[in-house]
Each structure stands twice: as C-alpha cells, then as structure tokens.
Amino acid sequence: MIASQAAGNRPAHHRGLALALGGLIIAAGFASFIFLVPQGDVITRSPMWIAVIWGALMIIFGVYRMIRGDSKLDHEHGGTNSEPQ
C-alpha cells in the first residue's frame, strides 16, 4: 500500500488538529503570562509577544492543514516522504 492510499483512509484533519491545539496552548500560555504577571508599563514591549505570534501562526497553519488535508509529502507512519515516486 502506498502512502497516498493509506492517507486516504484517515480523517483529513488529523495532523492539523494537533498543530492548532498546540499553537493554542502556546499562545494562550504566553499571553496569559503577559497580562497576569505584573510587569509595570512594558507590556507592549515584552519579548513574550514573539511566542504569542508563533503560537498564532501554528494555529493558522493547523487550521489550514485541517481544511486542506494531507500533503503529497506526508508519510503514512508520520513525518514526510521526500523521495521521488
């Protein structure tokens, strides 16, 4: 069985859901730290915003993968298969 046939048997949102949930946890965790821990007047200049933006990008890419489905490069057992077919 080739990878594209095995990927067709699984739900298309499998990989994207984990990525979106992981991004949500990261973004929410760092955002809550920014707003709940007293930092004075430097909330807008905090370097923690980089992690919040990174988490938001993970959410966006995870939702994209849920909508788009598996890629041609996705291997049936995880990872990618970049070998020519």
Side-chain angles (χ1 to χ4, degrees):
M1 179 181 307
I2 60 176
S4 62
Q5 289 175 345
N9 296 334
R10 284 187 308 209
H13 65 276
H14 181 262
R15 288 187 178 93
L17 182 62
L19 190 61
L21 288 176
L24 180 66
I25 291 169
I26 290 171
F30 279 94
S32 65
F33 183 79
I34 289 172
F35 290 114
L36 295 178
V37 175
Q39 299 178 19
D41 294 329
V42 293
I43 290 178
T44 57
R45 296 185 309 156
S46 175
M48 297 277 189
W49 284 108
I50 295 171
V52 175
I53 293 169
W54 180 51
L57 289 173
M58 286 177 61
I59 294 169
I60 292 169
F61 188 63
V63 169
Y64 169 76
R65 288 297 301 263
M66 284 192 291
I67 294 170
R68 180 76 169 119
D70 290 340
S71 170
K72 290 180 182 178
L73 295 177
D74 288 331
H75 194 268
E76 63 186 34
H77 299 294
T80 59
N81 181 10
S82 60
E83 298 173 4
Q85 306 247 344

